[in-house]
Every structure is written in structure tokens, then in C-alpha cells.
Amino acid sequence: MRIEILGPLRVVADDQSIGVGGVRSRALLIRLALDAGRVVSARTLMETVWPEDIPDHPDAALHSLVARLRRALPESAMLRAGKAGYRLDVPAETVDAVRFERLAEEGRRALGAGRYAAAQELLTEALGLWRGEPLADIAHLPFATAVAARLDELRLAATEDRIEAILSGSSPERALLSVELNQLIAANPLRERLRVLLLRALVANGRQAEALSAYEDYRTVLATQLGTDPGSELRELHMRILRGDTERSHARGNLRAPLTSFVGREADRRQIGRRLLDHRLVTLVGPGGVGKTRLATMTGAGLDIPVWLVEFAPVTRPGEVPRAVVAALGLRDSADAISRLADTLANREAVVILDGCEHVVEAVAQLVAELLGRCPRLRVLATSREPLGITGEALFAVAPLEAGSAAQLFTDRARAVQSDFVPSDYVDRICRRLDYLPLAIEMAAVRLRSMSIETLAARLDDRFRLLTGGSRTAPPRHRTLRAVVEWSWDLLTDVERAAADRAAAFPGSFCGEAAEHVGLTADILHALVDKSLLEYAGGRYRMLDTVREFGIEQLAATGRLAAARSAHAHYFLELAERAEPHLRGSGQLPWLTRLDAERHNMNAAIAFAVDGEDTDTAVRLGAALGQFWTVHGDHAEATRKLGEIVSMPGPAATEARLHALAAYLINAIFAGSLAAAAATVESPGAAHDPAAGFIGALIALAAGNTDDGLATLEPHVKHPDPWTRGMLWFIRSLLHGAAGQADAGRLAITAAVEGFRGCGERWALSLSLMSLASALITAGDTVEALATLDEAALVARELGTHDGQQAWLAMVRIDAGDVDNARKQLSEVLTRGASPHEITLARISLADLARHNGDLAEAEQHLGYAADATDPPERALYAAGAGYLAAATGDFAAAARYLREARDIAVGLPDMPMLAHVAVGMADVAHRRGEHERASEILGVAHALRGGPNSGNPDVARLAHTLREYRDEYERGCRLAPATATAEVQAY
């Protein structure tokens, strides 16, 4: 729909004109259209429609008029009653006058930024909306008179802007402008801007004599009618015409054609162009080698006005700055260089790019402030490693390239030296190691002349020696990667340089509190950010890896590296120990988020302690971070790190060592490597610390000595701390499960749930609820089990990015027969950016669900995503799923092979429910082979292993129904003790 008021009123819907009869209805619609989307008060509407004689009952009269207008509109809902008024409920751009004003304003801004072609296009489109006199239908109404006058003025200004865009650009239309301008001048004889444009148009077409005559005509008109002279702009233009110094002879700048492709940064170029539109000084800031110069010159090349590049790299003294600009602009040297520049640029549209200002920044700042003050049409685009720091400066932080653009840059430059170069994964690896810095990437690509890409990637640990292949024509500071960083370092004060060295000890981002601990004050941090040695975003500081490695070199060279790393490690040890108690209670979420932000620093602190053989610090860090790693879900990595820590020789606090060992073993359970981990740990004996009982119980569980494990736990299970009590009961439930004591295991896990509810810790509560639900399913209580699963899922969701349990919860839901909700939960895992481990688990379960539905192709596709699983629990589930699928396709040999693989992993975990799942697969294979008695017995063995029938599981339910005639064989399997049942599965 369109409402057109720049001429006679016209309403168009679906390309059909809509008639709106009656002057008052038209006045009402026009008034509402001018404020489309906003409520116009009833009083304003009445004064618009009845300016002199408001009816006796104005509200009723207005309501009646609104009703008539509603009937005329394509949809009556377009005209809505609002609070104390009415609203035309259409987008503002529906109204041509509104669209005209927007386009005219965008055109004016584009003109101010030197984007003349864009300005001409916008302004031509804006003026094309006019069809005649605005508000022509109601021109007699007082409100319309004022609105029409304003629109007419905007139209004339837009026309002038369009003509200026044509004159300033390279449009062929400039040859016809003098006729149009003379017509406009006839209608507006005293409008000086039109006279300026006329003189410029005549000069642009080589008609200087006519331009001088036109000036005299205007001067005479002013003298005769007003007794005054033309304004300063017109007088200055007249003088330039007399001197022959006209815009026709202006140089187009000194930008050189690029020798190489420019990759990426299109959005940056557009944004910088918009910044130049709004600000006359824009400074591109960023670290060395990030591509500030190239971005500035490519942005300048896209402008339609003269652009001058001034390179300050050769300038060594502040006093040389103005002369460097004079020389770049091709002007004669002068004793007063600043005045010479100001005179030249005073009335010219121009952009000056000042490149590499950081080493003479104060002198540049003074020059820019002076020139911008004296040259109103001048714009400056500066590049520097720190801001110029003057009023009106707009900063644009130039970031490293995006990954895709960086890879394309490397490929382009590599093909310049190796025409048959084919990109591989090494390209992404190299670009990432080089912080996606364009200069470093270009230097690296050149190295392919003398080495393979594999060798190049391997040698980046020594990047400063390797990357020395910069262009011979580049400034010295850009010829080697070391020189790039050294240049920034040399510009720092001694205090700043020492601080930058200390900041290099942080391998990732860091917060202000951590910075303060190692001696980095707020003022120093601000200075390092200003000088592009640090990045600041989201409340955290970060140093590029290339810059950081240089700082590490400086620390090592001055013997301060060990002290810097020690200060780093001790701060993060203090933070981890401060966080640890909160991770076991209701306040764990904010602390999980905080520790997650510090993961790189925590890992580095451990590495510093391990490398420095500081056993006490390493063990205390392991003890403090054990719960964080457990909750985070990467149990295999946590087991590896904790294993390295607890194996360190040397003294460490006894309590901390016990807690680190406990974390090591609990993570080993979930990583599927308890047996291997327990073999490396000595039992702490009958210590009073419940952690000692915890460790002893897990060692016993790994060895199959469940009675010893239960006895070890017994003195501690009434511990007053609810989280500790919950963990002890949780381990007790595992021991009962391994011993085949289903009822006792269910009571133990119920006690664990009570403990975790008491402290509010979400991860262990969700895990225990899942185990309780599984126990209830085994016992046949699916209703209570599903309610328990719902609670577990809700608690797990609260963990956000730390949640790794949704896929496991969905597996248990499948056992309960709640297939639809399980599928929904698994699909959410795939769509919400879960961890790779959880996605693998979700794919395996979705493969099972697809197989249950008979869609074997979809099942195979899901399993294909999980084929590379290596963690024991995931690999066991994958192998079992692959065995089930192979059996369904009739490939019994492959099924047996996969199921034996899954069995061997499950036995080693130990994991009775997992082993039972494998046994059901074996029963399925036997059934499909026609071995029904054997199949039923193995199904009973699965019952014995888990302690119940698990009848809600689709595979169990299918087999139980099919093999119902072989009940005796099933019961025989059910009566086996867990150890015998395990041996039975192992013998299959």
C-alpha cells in the first residue's frame, strides 16, 4: 500500500487506486499519514478538519468521519483508535513524503562523506516521488500551508544537493545543469547556493567567462535590491575563477593502484565510510600488521573526492610532520607549512589519509586540529596504534581478519609464489596461530617458496625467526614480524613496557582483578589498550598471541619469566580456592561462569606449577578445580590433567592431595577409565577425612571388592555436610549396583538425592535424579521415573553451557518408553550448540529411535556422525548401536563384532546397565538367527545385570513379547548372580 501526498492525494493498494471522497476525509487521511504509525490527538484532528468552525458535538463528528474513512481504506483495521486520538497503522515508509525526507537526508549525508554517486542516486530517487504541489487537495487549510512550505523547502534543498553531487562527481549530467539552474534561479533569485552551483557548473564545462558574468549579475541584484554583497563562499569562488584556480583543475589525489588483491573487510569499509559521513576525523587504531593502512587506502579509493595519502614512516622528528603533508599534496614548500595547507584545503572537498601516526602522534594531533578548524570541507582518515586524542575524533578499531578471509588471503599470496598451491587444513591452522593478522599471513605465504606448508606450520613456534619475508619497499618496521612488534614496544615508556611484559604471562583474556594482582593498574591497562598492545572487550583484556610471545621473550631475556608465572599461578590458585566451596552449593552458577571465563588461565597456572615442579600449588589447583572440571563434562581431559597432578612427586597439603585424588577417580568413572586410574592410586587407609573413604571405595569398586568398598564408606555416610553426604551415598549406590543389590542401590541413590537437594548443587542432583529414575524404571515404576526425569532435566538446564547430561537423560527416558519426549530432548541437544561429546551421545540415541521406526538409513546416518567416538562410554554406546543396526540388516557377523567391542568396554568401566544394554543386543542377534531359547536366556541375563526387567525399553519390550513362550529360559538367566551374569556375557 502507498499513500501519496506529494501532489494530489492518491492511495494505492495492490497496484489499484483507492478513491477517498470528500475534502474532510482527505484532510483527515493526510494528517494521519504525516504521522503514520503514531497516535494523533483528537483535538489536533478536529483543528485540521474544521479549522474555523468546529461542530457542536466534535467527538461524534470526528468519530463519524473516521468511520467513513475506514470504509474507504483497503482494510478498516488500518485506522485504529488510540489513547485520546487515532492512529494510521501503516509503516511510515508507506507515505511518500516520509520516504522523501528519509532519502533526502541519506543523500545529504552521502554527499557530505564524498560518496557522490550514491548521493546522486538517493536524491534522484527522492525527487522522483514528487508529482506536483504537496497536499494539493487541501491547500486551503491552514495546517496544509505550513506543511507544504516546509516540504517545498526540503525539495529545493534536495535539488541543490543532487546538483552538487553531480558537479562533485563524474556524472555526464553536469553538461546540462546550467539550464536547470537558471530555471531554479528565476524562481528563487536571491538564493545564493543556487548561484554558487551555477558558477561551478559553468566552470566545469569550460565556460569561465559566463561564470564571471553570472557572478556580476547576482552582485548587481543584491546591490540594487538589498544594498549588500554576495556571501564569502561565492566571493572566494569568484576569486578562484579569476586566478584560474578552479575545481576543474583540482588533482584527484595521490592514491596508487594496489598491486595485490584486497580480501574481506567489505563491512569495515562501509562502516568507515559512514563514520566519515558523521565525523570529520576518523582514526583507525589497532596492532601492527593488522591492515590499517590497506583498509584506509581502499576506503579512500572508493570515495568520489580527492584523497591524499601521507605516510609518516620516514618522519623522524615532530617538526617534519606539516612538511610531510605539504610534500604529499604536491605543494611548494613554505616557511609556514600549516598556513600553506590551510589555504590550499580551505574550500575544497578532500580526504587526507595520515598513515602511521603513532611515533609522532602529538605533532599530528596538533596539525589535524588546526586544519580541521580552518578547512570546513576537509576530512581526515588517520591510522595509528593509538588515538590522536583530540576533540571530535571517532575511533574505529581494526580487528584481525575473519577466519575465512584470512584463509583466502593466505591462498591468494601463496599462489603468487606457487601457482599450483591447493589449500588444506594447514592454512586454517597457520592463520589461527598468526592471530589472523594480514601482514603475518602474507609473510608466512611467501615462505612456501622454500618449504612445505607442513614445515611452515610446524615452525611457527619460532615465528619471529621464520617470518622475515616482508616487501623490500615496505617501511623497515614492516619487513619482519619481529620488527612489527618491536616498533610497538619501543613506543612504550619504561613503565608501560614492563607492564606489557607482565601482561604477556596471561595466555588468554583476563579481568581487571587479575591484572591488578600482577601489578597492572587501571591507568597502565588504559595506556596499553590505547597503544593497541591489549584488546578490551566484554570487561576483559586480551593480548594477541604474536604480541604475547614477544613479551614472553622479553621476560625470559631479563630473568623475570619465573616470577611473572608464579604471580599468575598464585592469583588463580587463590581464585580457584575461593570458588570451590560455592561449586558445591546453590551459588554454583555464577562461579561456574567465572571459572569458565578463566579456563585458559587456570590451565596455564597448572602448567606453570607443573613445569616449575611446584607440587603443592599444582595439587591445590587440582583439588580446587576438580569439581569445576567434573561439572563441565569433559571427564577424559579432567582425568588426564588430574592424573598428571596427583602423580607429581614432592610435598603437598594432605587434604588437598586427598581431594585431588577423589576428583581424579570420580572423573575417571565418567570417562570410563576407573580401573586404569585406580591402579595408579594407593588407598589412603582409614583416614578421618571422608575423601579418604571416598577414594578407598572407588578403588574397591574398580577391583570388584564391593563389600570392602561399602565397609570403607560406612563411617562417613552420616557426614553433616549435605554435599559430602550426597557424594558418599552416590558412590554407595554404584557399589550396590555392581553387587546386584537393586533395592539397596535404590535406597542409596534416594539418600544421595536428599543430600544434593539439601545443598542446592545442580550437577550432582541432576546426575542422582537420573540414576534414581533409572532405578525406578528397572523396578517398573515408570510414572515416578518420568517425574524424576523431568526434575533432572529442569535442574540440568539451569547449568546452561556446563550441562552435559541432557543426552544421558534422554537415554533413560527411552528406557521408560517416553520415546516422543526423548526424541524432542535429543533434537534440542543438536540445535543448541552442545558439546561434541553430548552431540555424539544424542546421535547414537537418535539412531536407535530411527531403527525402532524401521528407518535404517536414517539410523546409519546418525551413527556415521558418532563413528569416531573414542571416549570409552561413548565408544561402547556407539559399538552397541552399530551392533543393533547390523543385526537389523541381517549382517550377524558385523553385529557380533560390534557387540563384543561394546561388551569389552562395558566390563572394564565397570557399568552394569551398559553391559545389560549389550546383552539385549546379543539376545536380539540370537533371536534373529532363530536361537530363541538362547535369546530368551540372554534377555534374562540382562535383567540380572541391571536388577530388573527394563520393560519400557523398545528393544526389550519387542524381544520380551516375541520370546514370551520361552519364559523358563528367561527366568534361568534372571537368577544368575551379577558376577556369573557378567561371565555369561563375556563368554558369548
Side-chain angles (χ1 to χ4, degrees):
M1 177 175 170
R2 302 193 310 273
I3 300 174
E4 300 174 355
I5 62 176
L6 298 177
L9 176 65
R10 187 165 68 178
V11 181
V12 180
D14 297 327
D15 293 329
Q16 300 292 321
S17 293
I18 307 296
V20 178
V23 173
R24 290 195 177 100
S25 292
R26 287 172 169 258
L28 178 63
L29 177 58
I30 291 170
R31 184 62 190 83
L32 289 167
L34 287 169
D35 280 296
R38 298 193 296 270
V39 173
V40 182
S41 71
R43 168 58 59 182
T44 298
L45 294 174
M46 291 173 192
E47 292 173 351
T48 297
V49 178
W50 297 286
E52 297 177 352
D53 188 17
I54 295 180
D56 293 336
H57 302 286
D59 290 335
L62 180 61
H63 181 75
S64 175
L65 186 61
V66 167
R68 287 201 302 274
L69 180 56
R70 277 199 180 111
R71 289 193 294 271
L73 293 174
E75 296 179 19
S76 60
M78 289 179 178
L79 183 49
R80 297 178 179 271
K83 186 176 181 181
Y86 293 91
R87 180 179 81 248
L88 187 62
D89 197 10
V90 297
E93 288 276 308
T94 300
V95 182
D96 60 353
V98 176
R99 180 172 172 77
F100 161 74
E101 289 195 48
R102 179 184 65 78
L103 290 169
E105 174 63 16
E106 288 182 5
R108 183 194 65 78
R109 290 161 63 87
L111 177 64
R115 295 166 49 230
Y116 299 129
Q120 181 183 345
E121 182 178 347
L122 288 164
L123 292 161
T124 300
E125 182 181 354
L127 293 165
L129 296 172
W130 285 71
R131 299 175 295 107
E133 294 301 318
L135 285 66
D137 303 69
I138 56 170
H140 61 288
L141 296 177
F143 109 91
T145 303
V147 173
R150 187 179 72 84
L151 288 171
D152 279 331
E153 172 59 27
L154 291 175
R155 180 186 190 182
L156 182 54
T159 302
E160 292 170 333
D161 287 342
R162 179 184 64 83
I163 292 171
E164 181 161 346
I166 294 170
L167 286 171
S168 300
S170 56
S171 172
E173 293 180 39
R174 63 170 59 191
L176 306 174
L177 288 179
S178 58
V179 175
E180 180 181 358
L181 282 164
N182 279 316
Q183 292 173 343
L184 291 168
I185 288 170
N188 304 273
L190 298 179
R191 194 172 179 95
E192 186 155 310
R193 189 183 180 195
L194 291 173
R195 302 284 182 163
V196 171
L197 293 171
L198 176 60
L199 265 64
R200 290 177 58 193
L202 292 169
V203 168
N205 290 291
R207 298 158 64 184
Q208 281 83 352
E210 292 178 60
L212 293 172
S213 176
Y215 175 82
E216 288 300 324
D217 289 345
Y218 183 52
R219 190 179 64 78
T220 301
V221 168
L222 289 179
T224 302
Q225 296 187 18
L226 302 178
T228 187
D229 292 322
S232 60
E233 182 181 6
L234 191 57
R235 292 199 310 273
E236 290 169 8
L237 176 57
H238 177 239
M239 290 302 298
R240 289 205 307 275
I241 296 171
L242 289 172
R243 293 196 305 263
D245 179 20
T246 64
E247 291 176 296
R248 183 179 174 85
S249 63
H250 285 171
R252 298 298 296 168
N254 66 344
L255 292 183
R256 295 182 292 274
L259 299 177
T260 56
S261 61
F262 182 70
V263 177
R265 301 209 191 272
E266 288 303 319
D268 287 351
R269 290 172 67 183
R270 289 194 296 271
Q271 190 171 350
I272 294 167
R274 287 194 293 269
R275 286 248 169 171
L276 277 173
L277 190 70
D278 298 324
H279 307 275
R280 293 175 57 217
L281 168 60
V282 177
T283 303
L284 309 188
V285 294
V290 80
K292 300 183 293 295
T293 300
R294 190 70 187 276
L295 178 57
T297 55
M298 293 304 294
T299 300
L303 302 177
D304 292 328
I305 57 177
V307 178
W308 302 89
L309 173 64
V310 183
E311 296 171 313
F312 286 130
V315 175
T316 58
R317 294 192 299 274
E320 297 173 356
V321 166
R323 289 189 174 86
V325 181
V326 167
L329 268 62
L331 303 175
R332 292 189 302 275
D333 200 358
S334 169
D336 187 354
I338 294 178
S339 294
R340 179 77 176 108
L341 290 169
D343 290 344
T344 302
L345 298 170
N347 293 292
R348 294 186 181 183
E349 287 278 359
V351 170
V352 175
I353 299 175
L354 304 178
D355 182 47
C357 303
E358 56 272 354
H359 63 301
V360 285
V361 66
E362 291 188 8
V364 173
Q366 292 171 6
L367 173 65
V368 169
E370 184 70 18
L371 290 180
L372 290 177
R374 294 169 64 176
C375 308
R377 300 173 71 184
L378 173 66
R379 296 176 188 275
V380 173
L381 181 59
T383 76
S384 179
R385 300 191 192 186
E386 64 177 298
L388 302 189
I390 62 177
T391 302
E393 179 181 29
L395 298 179
F396 184 90
V398 181
L401 291 170
E402 295 180 353
S405 296
Q408 183 60 52
L409 177 65
F410 184 95
T411 301
D412 285 359
R413 301 302 184 261
R415 285 175 177 161
V417 299
Q418 191 182 100
S419 59
D420 59 349
F421 175 77
V422 177
S424 65
D425 291 342
Y426 281 103
V427 172
D428 294 327
R429 192 181 313 173
I430 289 167
C431 292
R432 184 171 60 253
R433 290 287 308 280
L434 295 175
D435 300 304
Y436 303 110
L437 290 172
L439 182 61
I441 290 169
E442 292 180 326
M443 289 180 179
V446 169
R447 282 295 177 185
L448 294 182
R449 286 181 297 185
S450 57
M451 65 181 64
S452 69
I453 194 168
E454 294 84 359
T455 303
L456 174 62
R459 290 187 58 189
L460 285 181
D461 286 339
D462 194 12
R463 66 185 70 188
F464 293 121
R465 287 190 182 183
L466 178 67
L467 302 182
T468 58
S471 171
R472 289 192 177 96
T473 61
R477 67 174 186 267
H478 279 174
R479 293 182 191 175
T480 70
L481 188 60
R482 178 181 297 280
V484 170
V485 184
E486 275 182 337
W487 174 258
S488 295
W489 233 258
D490 290 344
L491 294 173
L492 301 176
T493 65
D494 290 342
V495 173
E496 292 168 347
R497 198 175 296 118
D501 292 345
R502 290 196 297 276
F506 293 96
S509 65
F510 55 94
C511 64
E513 179 185 298
E516 185 177 355
H517 183 84
V518 299
L520 301 175
T521 65
D523 288 344
I524 285 292
L525 290 171
H526 177 76
L528 294 179
V529 170
D530 245 10
K531 296 182 179 181
S532 301
L533 269 300
L534 287 179
E535 297 175 347
Y536 179 74
R540 296 180 68 81
Y541 301 90
R542 177 180 176 270
M543 184 175 275
L544 293 177
D545 284 348
T546 298
V547 178
R548 183 175 61 81
E549 288 199 14
F550 186 85
I552 293 295
E553 276 192 6
Q554 305 309 299
L555 286 171
T558 55
R560 295 175 292 137
L561 181 58
R565 286 181 166 173
S566 178
H568 175 281
H570 282 94
Y571 167 76
F572 286 103
L573 171 60
E574 185 277 329
L575 177 63
E577 290 183 335
R578 193 180 351 143
E580 195 272 340
H582 299 282
L583 299 180
R584 293 183 276 109
S586 59
Q588 72 181 157
L589 291 183
W591 281 99
L592 284 170
T593 300
R594 181 164 183 184
L595 290 181
D596 197 42
E598 304 293 357
R599 286 181 74 188
H600 291 299
N601 283 308
M602 292 295 180
N603 290 338
I606 292 170
F608 296 159
V610 171
D611 293 344
E613 299 181 354
D614 184 354
T615 301
D616 185 63
T617 297
V619 170
R620 287 171 62 191
L621 277 164
L625 293 171
Q627 175 68 358
F628 168 67
W629 290 333
T630 304
V631 172
H632 213 280
D634 192 349
H635 303 297
E637 177 62 15
T639 302
R640 185 195 64 75
K641 285 187 287 196
L642 286 162
E644 182 180 17
I645 288 170
V646 299
S647 66
M648 288 179 68
T654 301
E655 182 181 0
R657 188 174 284 281
L658 283 174
H659 285 225
L661 282 168
Y664 173 46
L665 294 178
I666 192 66
N667 276 281
I669 289 177
F670 298 118
S673 57
L674 177 61
T680 66
V681 175
E682 292 185 10
S683 176
H688 294 293
D689 193 316
F694 185 91
I695 293 165
L698 289 179
I699 293 173
L701 176 64
N705 300 325
T706 54
D707 290 342
D708 290 349
L710 290 168
T712 302
L713 284 179
E714 189 60 35
H716 305 290
V717 292
K718 294 183 180 180
H719 195 279
D721 176 59
W723 185 88
T724 302
R725 190 168 65 248
M727 285 304 298
L728 294 169
W729 279 104
F730 177 78
I731 297 305
R732 186 164 181 160
S733 74
L734 296 181
L735 289 162
H736 284 307
Q741 300 163 352
D743 291 341
R746 189 163 57 254
L747 292 173
I749 197 64
T750 300
V753 167
E754 291 174 358
F756 294 130
R757 277 198 180 120
C759 68
E761 199 271 282
R762 295 165 180 80
W763 176 83
L765 176 58
S766 175
L767 176 69
S768 300
L769 287 168
M770 181 177 70
S771 298
L772 177 58
S774 184
L776 290 168
I777 291 167
T778 298
D781 189 351
T782 56
V783 174
E784 182 64 21
L786 288 173
T788 303
L789 283 173
D790 287 340
E791 182 184 357
L794 181 63
V795 173
R797 283 195 186 94
E798 292 179 4
L799 288 167
T801 58
H802 307 279
D803 165 32
Q805 298 185 28
Q806 293 291 357
W808 288 108
L809 289 166
M811 291 182 195
V812 179
R813 198 174 288 278
I814 293 172
D815 284 342
D818 188 9
V819 173
D820 290 340
N821 282 321
R823 182 181 288 106
K824 180 180 177 182
Q825 201 164 330
L826 292 166
S827 298
E828 288 176 359
V829 169
L830 298 185
T831 57
R832 66 175 168 79
S835 70
H837 294 292
E838 194 173 8
I839 290 173
T840 296
L841 294 172
R843 291 286 189 183
I844 294 168
S845 292
L846 286 168
D848 284 340
L849 293 179
R851 177 174 53 79
H852 296 155
N853 286 338
D855 193 341
L856 302 186
E858 182 183 342
E860 184 176 10
Q861 183 179 20
H862 281 301
L863 280 177
Y865 286 106
D868 295 331
T870 56
D871 285 356
E874 295 169 17
R875 186 66 197 178
L877 284 170
Y878 166 76
Y884 276 98
L885 181 59
T889 63
D891 189 349
F892 301 134
R897 185 173 66 253
Y898 278 122
L899 289 169
R900 282 195 294 269
E901 180 188 356
R903 173 202 63 195
D904 294 343
I905 298 172
V907 168
L909 288 177
D911 188 331
M912 291 300 184
M914 180 84 74
L915 193 57
H917 178 60
V918 175
V920 173
M922 293 176 170
D924 188 35
V925 173
H927 160 63
R928 292 177 187 274
R929 282 176 167 169
E931 302 169 0
H932 303 308
E933 294 87 349
R934 180 64 172 152
S936 188
E937 184 176 0
I938 299 174
L939 195 62
V941 168
H943 179 130
L945 289 167
R946 75 173 78 86
N950 203 33
S951 54
N953 178 276
D955 286 307
V956 173
R958 171 176 54 83
L959 288 170
H961 176 74
T962 305
L963 299 170
R964 61 187 179 278
E965 297 178 6
Y966 304 94
R967 191 67 188 175
D968 292 343
E969 289 80 359
Y970 180 83
E971 294 294 343
R972 185 162 58 246
C974 289
R975 289 193 293 271
L976 297 178
T980 306
T982 300
E984 188 74 16
V985 176
Q986 285 180 291
Y988 179 76

